[in-house]
PDB file of all heavy atoms in Angstrom:
ATOM      1  N   GLN A  16      -4.584 -42.047  46.693  1.00 98.00           N
ATOM      2  CA  GLN A  16      -5.657 -41.680  47.622  1.00 98.00           C
ATOM      3  C   GLN A  16      -6.677 -42.789  47.861  1.00 98.00           C
ATOM      4  O   GLN A  16      -7.206 -42.863  49.005  1.00 98.00           O
ATOM      5  CB  GLN A  16      -6.289 -40.328  47.143  1.00 98.00           C
ATOM      6  CG  GLN A  16      -5.463 -39.110  47.277  1.00 98.00           C
ATOM      7  CD  GLN A  16      -6.176 -37.922  46.834  1.00 98.00           C
ATOM      8  OE1 GLN A  16      -6.219 -37.667  45.581  1.00 98.00           O
ATOM      9  NE2 GLN A  16      -6.797 -37.142  47.706  1.00 98.00           N
ATOM     10  N   CYS A  17      -7.058 -43.468  46.776  1.00 98.00           N
ATOM     11  CA  CYS A  17      -8.178 -44.345  47.004  1.00 98.00           C
ATOM     12  C   CYS A  17      -8.180 -45.426  45.816  1.00 98.00           C
ATOM     13  O   CYS A  17      -7.465 -45.288  44.838  1.00 98.00           O
ATOM     14  CB  CYS A  17      -9.523 -43.560  46.871  1.00 98.00           C
ATOM     15  SG  CYS A  17      -9.817 -42.820  45.250  1.00 98.00           S
ATOM     16  N   ARG A  18      -9.025 -46.444  46.036  1.00 98.00           N
ATOM     17  CA  ARG A  18      -9.342 -47.349  45.019  1.00 98.00           C
ATOM     18  C   ARG A  18     -10.531 -46.769  44.218  1.00 98.00           C
ATOM     19  O   ARG A  18     -11.378 -46.129  44.779  1.00 98.00           O
ATOM     20  CB  ARG A  18      -9.694 -48.731  45.630  1.00 98.00           C
ATOM     21  CG  ARG A  18      -8.512 -49.423  46.319  1.00 98.00           C
ATOM     22  CD  ARG A  18      -8.884 -50.523  47.163  1.00 98.00           C
ATOM     23  NE  ARG A  18      -9.494 -50.109  48.460  1.00 98.00           N
ATOM     24  CZ  ARG A  18      -9.879 -50.818  49.457  1.00 98.00           C
ATOM     25  NH1 ARG A  18      -9.808 -52.166  49.315  1.00 98.00           N
ATOM     26  NH2 ARG A  18     -10.340 -50.352  50.545  1.00 98.00           N
ATOM     27  N   GLY A  19     -10.497 -47.054  42.937  1.00 98.00           N
ATOM     28  CA  GLY A  19     -11.544 -46.413  42.094  1.00 98.00           C
ATOM     29  C   GLY A  19     -12.894 -46.891  42.347  1.00 98.00           C
ATOM     30  O   GLY A  19     -13.112 -48.088  42.784  1.00 98.00           O
ATOM     31  N   LEU A  20     -13.843 -46.033  42.160  1.00 98.00           N
ATOM     32  CA  LEU A  20     -15.278 -46.433  42.338  1.00 98.00           C
ATOM     33  C   LEU A  20     -15.640 -47.554  41.335  1.00 98.00           C
ATOM     34  O   LEU A  20     -15.233 -47.584  40.163  1.00 98.00           O
ATOM     35  CB  LEU A  20     -16.165 -45.169  42.028  1.00 98.00           C
ATOM     36  CG  LEU A  20     -16.217 -44.083  43.065  1.00 98.00           C
ATOM     37  CD1 LEU A  20     -17.056 -42.890  42.545  1.00 98.00           C
ATOM     38  CD2 LEU A  20     -16.578 -44.597  44.408  1.00 98.00           C
ATOM     39  N   GLY A  21     -16.346 -48.555  41.862  1.00 98.00           N
ATOM     40  CA  GLY A  21     -16.739 -49.655  41.089  1.00 98.00           C
ATOM     41  C   GLY A  21     -15.598 -50.695  40.873  1.00 98.00           C
ATOM     42  O   GLY A  21     -15.816 -51.720  40.178  1.00 98.00           O
ATOM     43  N   MET A  22     -14.421 -50.380  41.416  1.00 98.00           N
ATOM     44  CA  MET A  22     -13.266 -51.333  41.255  1.00 98.00           C
ATOM     45  C   MET A  22     -13.051 -52.062  42.619  1.00 98.00           C
ATOM     46  O   MET A  22     -12.574 -51.522  43.484  1.00 98.00           O
ATOM     47  CB  MET A  22     -12.078 -50.502  40.821  1.00 98.00           C
ATOM     48  CG  MET A  22     -12.283 -49.665  39.558  1.00 98.00           C
ATOM     49  SD  MET A  22     -12.625 -50.659  38.166  1.00 98.00           S
ATOM     50  CE  MET A  22     -10.991 -51.237  37.734  1.00 98.00           C
ATOM     51  N   ALA A  23     -13.376 -53.309  42.591  1.00 98.00           N
ATOM     52  CA  ALA A  23     -13.345 -54.139  43.809  1.00 98.00           C
ATOM     53  C   ALA A  23     -11.833 -54.558  44.077  1.00 98.00           C
ATOM     54  O   ALA A  23     -11.501 -55.782  43.887  1.00 98.00           O
ATOM     55  CB  ALA A  23     -14.230 -55.386  43.746  1.00 98.00           C
ATOM     56  N   VAL A  24     -11.004 -53.642  44.335  1.00 98.00           N
ATOM     57  CA  VAL A  24      -9.559 -53.870  44.430  1.00 98.00           C
ATOM     58  C   VAL A  24      -9.156 -54.207  45.830  1.00 98.00           C
ATOM     59  O   VAL A  24      -9.549 -53.511  46.811  1.00 98.00           O
ATOM     60  CB  VAL A  24      -8.806 -52.611  43.890  1.00 98.00           C
ATOM     61  CG1 VAL A  24      -7.305 -52.724  44.216  1.00 98.00           C
ATOM     62  CG2 VAL A  24      -9.052 -52.408  42.496  1.00 98.00           C
ATOM     63  N   TYR A  25      -8.414 -55.297  45.965  1.00 98.00           N
ATOM     64  CA  TYR A  25      -7.911 -55.691  47.308  1.00 98.00           C
ATOM     65  C   TYR A  25      -6.442 -56.145  47.196  1.00 98.00           C
ATOM     66  O   TYR A  25      -5.977 -56.410  46.063  1.00 98.00           O
ATOM     67  CB  TYR A  25      -8.801 -56.838  47.828  1.00 98.00           C
ATOM     68  CG  TYR A  25     -10.229 -56.504  48.044  1.00 98.00           C
ATOM     69  CD1 TYR A  25     -11.158 -56.671  47.016  1.00 98.00           C
ATOM     70  CD2 TYR A  25     -10.694 -55.794  49.161  1.00 98.00           C
ATOM     71  CE1 TYR A  25     -12.431 -56.283  47.144  1.00 98.00           C
ATOM     72  CE2 TYR A  25     -11.992 -55.449  49.314  1.00 98.00           C
ATOM     73  CZ  TYR A  25     -12.937 -55.709  48.379  1.00 98.00           C
ATOM     74  OH  TYR A  25     -14.248 -55.249  48.429  1.00 98.00           O
ATOM     75  N   ALA A  26      -5.769 -56.338  48.394  1.00 97.00           N
ATOM     76  CA  ALA A  26      -4.466 -56.953  48.357  1.00 97.00           C
ATOM     77  C   ALA A  26      -4.691 -58.426  48.875  1.00 97.00           C
ATOM     78  O   ALA A  26      -5.184 -58.552  49.975  1.00 97.00           O
ATOM     79  CB  ALA A  26      -3.569 -56.207  49.336  1.00 97.00           C
ATOM     80  N   TYR A  27      -4.304 -59.327  48.033  1.00 97.00           N
ATOM     81  CA  TYR A  27      -4.542 -60.751  48.367  1.00 97.00           C
ATOM     82  C   TYR A  27      -3.121 -61.399  48.827  1.00 97.00           C
ATOM     83  O   TYR A  27      -2.176 -61.231  48.122  1.00 97.00           O
ATOM     84  CB  TYR A  27      -5.108 -61.504  47.216  1.00 97.00           C
ATOM     85  CG  TYR A  27      -6.625 -61.721  47.173  1.00 97.00           C
ATOM     86  CD1 TYR A  27      -7.434 -60.881  47.869  1.00 97.00           C
ATOM     87  CD2 TYR A  27      -7.118 -62.811  46.457  1.00 97.00           C
ATOM     88  CE1 TYR A  27      -8.791 -61.060  47.870  1.00 97.00           C
ATOM     89  CE2 TYR A  27      -8.495 -62.945  46.480  1.00 97.00           C
ATOM     90  CZ  TYR A  27      -9.340 -62.076  47.194  1.00 97.00           C
ATOM     91  OH  TYR A  27     -10.710 -62.263  47.157  1.00 97.00           O
ATOM     92  N   ASP A  28      -3.205 -62.165  49.898  1.00 93.00           N
ATOM     93  CA  ASP A  28      -1.937 -62.830  50.294  1.00 93.00           C
ATOM     94  C   ASP A  28      -1.844 -64.176  49.503  1.00 93.00           C
ATOM     95  O   ASP A  28      -2.725 -64.478  48.623  1.00 93.00           O
ATOM     96  CB  ASP A  28      -1.873 -63.117  51.797  1.00 93.00           C
ATOM     97  CG  ASP A  28      -3.079 -64.012  52.274  1.00 93.00           C
ATOM     98  OD1 ASP A  28      -3.673 -64.679  51.448  1.00 93.00           O
ATOM     99  OD2 ASP A  28      -3.308 -63.992  53.472  1.00 93.00           O
ATOM    100  N   ASP A  29      -0.832 -64.908  49.771  1.00 89.00           N
ATOM    101  CA  ASP A  29      -0.629 -66.178  48.930  1.00 89.00           C
ATOM    102  C   ASP A  29      -1.799 -67.217  49.098  1.00 89.00           C
ATOM    103  O   ASP A  29      -1.923 -68.037  48.251  1.00 89.00           O
ATOM    104  CB  ASP A  29       0.703 -66.799  49.329  1.00 89.00           C
ATOM    105  CG  ASP A  29       1.865 -65.975  48.919  1.00 89.00           C
ATOM    106  OD1 ASP A  29       1.737 -65.065  48.076  1.00 89.00           O
ATOM    107  OD2 ASP A  29       2.989 -66.178  49.494  1.00 89.00           O
ATOM    108  N   ASN A  30      -2.568 -67.046  50.110  1.00 92.00           N
ATOM    109  CA  ASN A  30      -3.702 -67.965  50.325  1.00 92.00           C
ATOM    110  C   ASN A  30      -5.024 -67.414  49.719  1.00 92.00           C
ATOM    111  O   ASN A  30      -6.054 -67.984  49.949  1.00 92.00           O
ATOM    112  CB  ASN A  30      -3.856 -68.192  51.791  1.00 92.00           C
ATOM    113  CG  ASN A  30      -2.632 -68.857  52.449  1.00 92.00           C
ATOM    114  OD1 ASN A  30      -2.147 -69.814  51.967  1.00 92.00           O
ATOM    115  ND2 ASN A  30      -2.253 -68.355  53.653  1.00 92.00           N
ATOM    116  N   GLY A  31      -4.911 -66.285  49.053  1.00 94.00           N
ATOM    117  CA  GLY A  31      -6.114 -65.727  48.440  1.00 94.00           C
ATOM    118  C   GLY A  31      -7.004 -64.972  49.390  1.00 94.00           C
ATOM    119  O   GLY A  31      -8.298 -65.035  49.224  1.00 94.00           O
ATOM    120  N   GLN A  32      -6.471 -64.499  50.467  1.00 96.00           N
ATOM    121  CA  GLN A  32      -7.242 -63.779  51.470  1.00 96.00           C
ATOM    122  C   GLN A  32      -6.918 -62.316  51.441  1.00 96.00           C
ATOM    123  O   GLN A  32      -5.689 -61.914  51.355  1.00 96.00           O
ATOM    124  CB  GLN A  32      -6.959 -64.358  52.879  1.00 96.00           C
ATOM    125  CG  GLN A  32      -7.412 -65.784  53.008  1.00 96.00           C
ATOM    126  CD  GLN A  32      -8.879 -66.021  52.816  1.00 96.00           C
ATOM    127  OE1 GLN A  32      -9.704 -65.245  53.331  1.00 96.00           O
ATOM    128  NE2 GLN A  32      -9.173 -67.029  52.016  1.00 96.00           N
ATOM    129  N   PRO A  33      -7.974 -61.414  51.537  1.00 97.00           N
ATOM    130  CA  PRO A  33      -7.604 -59.994  51.487  1.00 97.00           C
ATOM    131  C   PRO A  33      -6.928 -59.573  52.796  1.00 97.00           C
ATOM    132  O   PRO A  33      -7.344 -59.985  53.931  1.00 97.00           O
ATOM    133  CB  PRO A  33      -9.032 -59.339  51.428  1.00 97.00           C
ATOM    134  CG  PRO A  33      -9.965 -60.395  51.907  1.00 97.00           C
ATOM    135  CD  PRO A  33      -9.360 -61.721  51.619  1.00 97.00           C
ATOM    136  N   VAL A  34      -5.913 -58.757  52.680  1.00 97.00           N
ATOM    137  CA  VAL A  34      -5.191 -58.271  53.866  1.00 97.00           C
ATOM    138  C   VAL A  34      -5.035 -56.713  53.804  1.00 97.00           C
ATOM    139  O   VAL A  34      -5.100 -56.141  52.733  1.00 97.00           O
ATOM    140  CB  VAL A  34      -3.828 -58.888  53.947  1.00 97.00           C
ATOM    141  CG1 VAL A  34      -3.840 -60.361  54.290  1.00 97.00           C
ATOM    142  CG2 VAL A  34      -2.963 -58.677  52.628  1.00 97.00           C
ATOM    143  N   VAL A  35      -4.979 -56.156  54.970  1.00 97.00           N
ATOM    144  CA  VAL A  35      -4.846 -54.730  55.060  1.00 97.00           C
ATOM    145  C   VAL A  35      -3.520 -54.416  55.836  1.00 97.00           C
ATOM    146  O   VAL A  35      -3.099 -55.149  56.733  1.00 97.00           O
ATOM    147  CB  VAL A  35      -5.987 -54.047  55.926  1.00 97.00           C
ATOM    148  CG1 VAL A  35      -5.810 -52.578  56.102  1.00 97.00           C
ATOM    149  CG2 VAL A  35      -7.291 -54.292  55.180  1.00 97.00           C
ATOM    150  N   ASP A  36      -2.808 -53.385  55.364  1.00 96.00           N
ATOM    151  CA  ASP A  36      -1.538 -52.981  55.904  1.00 96.00           C
ATOM    152  C   ASP A  36      -0.432 -54.051  55.777  1.00 96.00           C
ATOM    153  O   ASP A  36       0.445 -54.137  56.608  1.00 96.00           O
ATOM    154  CB  ASP A  36      -1.756 -52.617  57.379  1.00 96.00           C
ATOM    155  CG  ASP A  36      -0.994 -51.290  57.794  1.00 96.00           C
ATOM    156  OD1 ASP A  36      -0.719 -50.622  56.813  1.00 96.00           O
ATOM    157  OD2 ASP A  36      -0.866 -51.082  58.955  1.00 96.00           O
ATOM    158  N   GLN A  37      -0.621 -54.880  54.779  1.00 94.00           N
ATOM    159  CA  GLN A  37       0.443 -55.867  54.448  1.00 94.00           C
ATOM    160  C   GLN A  37       0.682 -55.860  52.876  1.00 94.00           C
ATOM    161  O   GLN A  37      -0.246 -55.642  52.198  1.00 94.00           O
ATOM    162  CB  GLN A  37      -0.031 -57.301  54.832  1.00 94.00           C
ATOM    163  CG  GLN A  37      -0.208 -57.515  56.248  1.00 94.00           C
ATOM    164  CD  GLN A  37      -0.628 -59.003  56.557  1.00 94.00           C
ATOM    165  OE1 GLN A  37      -0.214 -59.915  55.882  1.00 94.00           O
ATOM    166  NE2 GLN A  37      -1.565 -59.233  57.470  1.00 94.00           N
ATOM    167  N   GLN A  38       1.933 -56.125  52.504  1.00 91.00           N
ATOM    168  CA  GLN A  38       2.212 -56.144  51.089  1.00 91.00           C
ATOM    169  C   GLN A  38       1.592 -57.477  50.486  1.00 91.00           C
ATOM    170  O   GLN A  38       1.845 -58.511  51.045  1.00 91.00           O
ATOM    171  CB  GLN A  38       3.702 -56.091  50.862  1.00 91.00           C
ATOM    172  CG  GLN A  38       4.350 -54.708  51.331  1.00 91.00           C
ATOM    173  CD  GLN A  38       5.810 -54.752  51.006  1.00 91.00           C
ATOM    174  OE1 GLN A  38       6.388 -55.312  50.114  1.00 91.00           O
ATOM    175  NE2 GLN A  38       6.595 -53.969  51.904  1.00 91.00           N
ATOM    176  N   ALA A  39       0.969 -57.306  49.331  1.00 94.00           N
ATOM    177  CA  ALA A  39       0.387 -58.488  48.739  1.00 94.00           C
ATOM    178  C   ALA A  39       0.042 -58.136  47.310  1.00 94.00           C
ATOM    179  O   ALA A  39       0.237 -57.018  46.772  1.00 94.00           O
ATOM    180  CB  ALA A  39      -0.845 -58.868  49.521  1.00 94.00           C
ATOM    181  N   GLU A  40      -0.607 -59.083  46.651  1.00 95.00           N
ATOM    182  CA  GLU A  40      -0.925 -58.993  45.198  1.00 95.00           C
ATOM    183  C   GLU A  40      -2.213 -58.069  45.025  1.00 95.00           C
ATOM    184  O   GLU A  40      -3.144 -58.178  45.740  1.00 95.00           O
ATOM    185  CB  GLU A  40      -1.242 -60.363  44.598  1.00 95.00           C
ATOM    186  CG  GLU A  40      -0.121 -61.346  44.484  1.00 95.00           C
ATOM    187  CD  GLU A  40       0.734 -60.971  43.154  1.00 95.00           C
ATOM    188  OE1 GLU A  40       0.304 -60.094  42.390  1.00 95.00           O
ATOM    189  OE2 GLU A  40       1.764 -61.571  43.136  1.00 95.00           O
ATOM    190  N   LEU A  41      -2.147 -57.176  44.048  1.00 97.00           N
ATOM    191  CA  LEU A  41      -3.251 -56.336  43.648  1.00 97.00           C
ATOM    192  C   LEU A  41      -4.159 -57.312  42.877  1.00 97.00           C
ATOM    193  O   LEU A  41      -3.890 -57.852  41.800  1.00 97.00           O
ATOM    194  CB  LEU A  41      -2.837 -55.197  42.822  1.00 97.00           C
ATOM    195  CG  LEU A  41      -3.953 -54.159  42.439  1.00 97.00           C
ATOM    196  CD1 LEU A  41      -3.315 -52.832  42.016  1.00 97.00           C
ATOM    197  CD2 LEU A  41      -4.895 -54.610  41.332  1.00 97.00           C
TER     198      LEU A  41
END
């Protein structure tokens, strides 16, 4: 449902950029 409160969780591509709706590193 969600990322935890206080947890700055993103999906990073190989270049270290946050992406949405793409598979990437937690």
